[in-house]
Amino acid sequence: MTEKPRKLNLGCGDKKIHGFINVDGRADTNPDIVCDISNISKAFRDVDLIYACHVLEHFPKTANSFYQTTYLDILADWFTALKPGGILRLSVPDMQAVLERYQHTKNLTEVMSFLYGGQKYDFDFHFCGWDFELLESVLLEIGFKSVKRYDWRKTEHAFVDDYSQAYLPGMMKETGKLMSLNVEAIK
């Protein structure tokens, strides 16, 4: 009998994925498990896939009086939770695409949530921005290998309309420009 793959959807909010363990720090989103997603390796080991969509930007580069946990701490913890050969699948705002869009339209309101977060609840603020080169270098520093972009259409969660599919203008997936940097890394 083969064991079912262990897949985590971290920071799921209201975007649950069937076949994944949906984890969020906010109980009001009704995740499968309520816990601090920055320290999951105590509860989970030998995970096949970790998916975190528009989560990483909510953590700072350096610890401060409000947030002691940095994005490096979180990535190291997720690395520990993954089994050898496990996949980390991240989606973050793509600063190159967002800034190009702003340069084209000069409409700051349109891109504001990609830059600063939605600011709808506690922790819904952005501390950092990413382009592929920076995210790749950080993931390699943690110990990941084979860092590459992924196409959300070719994932088992493509049916979940989350921020990995964020397009402008107006979320027009056929004619708009993708505002999410979607990256996979292998442990």
Side-chain angles (χ1 to χ4, degrees), residues 42-60:
K42 288 183 181 178
F44 298 99
R45 292 294 179 130
D46 295 321
V47 175
D48 295 281
L49 171 67
I50 292 175
Y51 178 56
C53 182
H54 284 240
V55 171
L56 195 60
E57 64 274 13
H58 294 275
F59 294 91

Side-chain angles (χ1 to χ4, degrees), residues 54 57-58 93 111-126 163:
H54 284 240
E57 64 274 13
H58 294 275
V111 298
M112 198 168 293
S113 65
F114 293 107
L115 297 170
Y116 308 116
Q119 302 183 21
K120 296 175 186 160
Y121 52 85
D122 289 350
F123 309 113
D124 191 15
F125 298 86
H126 293 180
Y163 288 112

Side-chain angles (χ1 to χ4, degrees), residues 60-171:
K61 179 180 180 182
T62 56
N64 58 59
S65 59
F66 297 106
Y67 292 87
Q68 285 73 48
T69 305
T70 68
Y71 64 71
L72 288 172
D73 298 329
I74 292 166
L75 290 171
D77 182 70
W78 296 351
F79 183 86
T80 300
L82 284 167
K83 71 179 189 180
I87 298 170
L88 175 64
R89 187 175 294 151
L90 296 172
S91 179
V92 294
D94 184 338
M95 285 300 111
Q96 182 176 346
V98 170
L99 295 174
E100 286 173 1
R101 178 71 186 172
Y102 173 72
Q103 284 297 329
H104 178 72
T105 66
K106 302 295 189 221
N107 182 350
L108 185 58
T109 302
E110 181 185 48
V111 298
M112 198 168 293
S113 65
F114 293 107
L115 297 170
Y116 308 116
Q119 302 183 21
K120 296 175 186 160
Y121 52 85
D122 289 350
F123 309 113
D124 191 15
F125 298 86
H126 293 180
F127 280 93
C128 58
W130 302 95
D131 65 10
F132 181 80
E133 290 74 21
L134 178 58
L135 188 53
E136 178 186 40
S137 70
V138 168
L139 291 169
L140 292 172
E141 178 184 326
I142 295 293
F144 287 97
K145 53 188 175 185
S146 184
V147 179
K148 64 179 184 173
R149 292 177 186 259
Y150 73 88
D151 182 346
W152 63 266
R153 292 173 191 87
K154 297 178 181 174
T155 66
E156 65 270 34
H157 49 81
F159 63 92
V160 177
D161 192 11
D162 64 10
Y163 288 112
S164 70
Q165 304 175 30
Y167 286 80
L168 288 177
M171 302 313 229

